[in-house]
Structures are given as structure tokens and as C-alpha cells.
Amino acid sequence: MVETTVPPTAAERRSAGPGPVVRHCGPLPLLAVGVLCAVGAFAVQEWWQAAGALVVQALCLPLVVGDVRAALRRLLPLGIAALSVGWSTVLAGDSPEPLWTALTAALRLLVLVLPGALLLGWLDAAEAGDHLAQRLRVPGRVVVAVVVALGRLDALADSWDQIAAARRVRGLGPGRGPVGRVRWAASTSFGLLVDAVRGAGRVSLAMDARGFAGERAGRRSWALPAPWRRADTVLLLVGTAVAAVPLLLRLGGAFLTVTT
């Protein structure tokens, strides 16, 4: 007997499961809010402006974070990057107040990356392609390239594990010393780069074979709809307000300076 039921889409699976309010939103507001918050971070000039923006972002975390452990793993590289930026600013900066300058630089990086790092965790590559093509009218070749690139990013961890396992089988393990581990990580990274280049070549040939390089590439149909929901509007409005916080704090500080 042939199964005639249509499997649920990524949006339906995400909305049906438990999680924060953002699970009901589509990919376009997720991308838009991440970009807006990144642009708004450039208005930060003082540490207290960045701190105020981070407080507002922290208040919005229950709307975005579903799994606390997964969010912490996602934010761990961001924390390391912020500490390294602050430390390098202290060592190499020529500011008369290096500690405050380093704190401002580290907090500005957090304001810049934090919203996008959390929101993009809810992004589905195939769903993003449907919305880019149907709502923004992005050409089909570009859409498929973006979808494949996002899919390859998700597969990098699996590729790393496969390459590392293959090297261990051949007796090329990391060793016990720190120098050996660094060399092993560098050589494994080179193998991952080679695998990514080979995968890009295969994807390019597959896209050309399916007609994405021809004249008819711009006139294609799409299997799934790309609706704009009320939750998308709410997320876009809230994200715009959060992104404007650094600018509002900067303007408020300038006004107080002028009046006093």
C-alpha cells in the first residue's frame, strides 16, 4: 500500500514541538532581526551603551531560547571571542583608559553577534530558500546556492568527525602533547577544507545538470508555500526595537551631555 500522506514541513514540525515563541516565525524575520541588531551595534561608543543593549537582549531571551544547554554551546565561541578582543585591546591599545576601552570592545562584539547567533539556530535551509525565492524574488540559482551553503555548514561537524575517525584508523591520532594536538587539528582542518572544495565542485555540476545555469533558471516553481504569519510581524517589530536600543542610548547620552 502506497503512503499518500504528505510529511510535515520544517515549519510545521518546529511549530508543533515545544519551545519559545520564535518557533512560529519564518526565516525572513530571523535573518532581518539578526542583520538589524548587527547594524545597531555600530552605534555603541561607550561601555554603558553596550551594557544597556545587552540587558534588553537578555530580557528577550525567553522568546528565543528553547534549550539552554544548546544555547550555551552556541554562545561559547562568542564568549571566547569577546574575551580575546578585550584582552588584545588591553595589550595593543593606546587608549588612556585601556580597561574601559577593552570592556567597550568586548561588549560591542556581544551586542553585534548575540541576537544572530541565537536566531539562526532556528533557521531551516530549505525553508529559507522557499521564502527567499517566493517573497524576495531572489533568482533560483542564487537561492539553491544559499540553501546548499547553509546545508554544508550544518554538515561540517559530521565531516570533521568522519575525517578525524579515518585519520585515527590510519594511526594519525592527535597524540597526548599540546604540540601534537595542534598539528593534528591543523592537518584535519586542511582535510576538511579539501572535502568542502570537492563538495562544492559536485554541487556545481549537479546544479548545472539540473538547468540552473540556463536561461530558464529564473522561471521555476516551488513545492512549498512561504506564508507571512502574525508571529513574523511581531518578531520584526520587537527585533527592530531591540536593534534601536544602542542608538537611543547614544542619543540620550548626547542629549544629557548637552543639557548639563
Side-chain angles (χ1 to χ4, degrees), residues 172-258:
L172 301 176
R176 296 182 178 181
V179 177
R181 290 183 178 275
V182 171
R183 290 179 178 176
W184 177 83
S187 59
T188 306
S189 300
F190 180 77
L192 183 64
L193 176 62
V194 173
D195 181 73
V197 172
R198 290 176 178 174
R202 290 192 297 267
V203 170
S204 177
L205 291 176
M207 289 177 62
D208 291 342
R210 287 164 174 79
F212 283 97
E215 298 179 356
R216 299 176 59 85
R219 299 188 297 272
R220 290 185 175 272
S221 60
W222 303 92
L224 298 178
W228 183 272
R229 303 178 180 87
R230 183 180 302 176
D232 298 332
T233 304
V234 173
L235 176 63
L236 187 59
L237 293 176
V238 173
T240 303
V242 172
V245 169
L247 181 59
L248 295 176
L249 291 176
R250 178 177 175 179
L251 295 177
F255 177 77
L256 292 177
T257 303
V258 172

Side-chain angles (χ1 to χ4, degrees), residues 68-202:
V68 177
R69 292 184 178 179
L72 291 177
R73 289 194 300 268
R74 183 176 293 273
L75 295 179
L76 179 61
L78 174 59
I80 296 174
L83 291 176
S84 64
V85 167
W87 180 249
S88 61
T89 303
V90 172
L91 294 179
D94 55 355
S95 173
E97 297 180 348
L99 293 179
W100 292 115
T101 304
L103 180 61
T104 302
L107 293 180
R108 184 189 294 116
L109 180 62
L110 293 176
V111 175
L112 178 73
V113 182
L114 178 62
L118 294 177
L119 289 173
L120 292 183
W122 295 94
L123 187 67
D124 180 78
E127 185 184 10
D130 289 328
H131 283 253
L132 288 174
Q134 298 179 52
R135 293 221 158 257
L136 300 184
R137 306 301 180 186
V138 178
R141 184 180 177 87
V142 178
V143 169
V144 175
V146 171
V147 171
V148 172
L150 292 175
R152 292 294 297 174
L153 285 176
D154 294 336
L156 282 180
D158 296 334
S159 299
W160 176 277
D161 293 338
Q162 294 174 4
I163 295 173
R167 290 176 61 82
R168 289 191 180 95
V169 170
R170 292 195 294 266
L172 301 176
R176 296 182 178 181
V179 177
R181 290 183 178 275
V182 171
R183 290 179 178 176
W184 177 83
S187 59
T188 306
S189 300
F190 180 77
L192 183 64
L193 176 62
V194 173
D195 181 73
V197 172
R198 290 176 178 174
R202 290 192 297 267

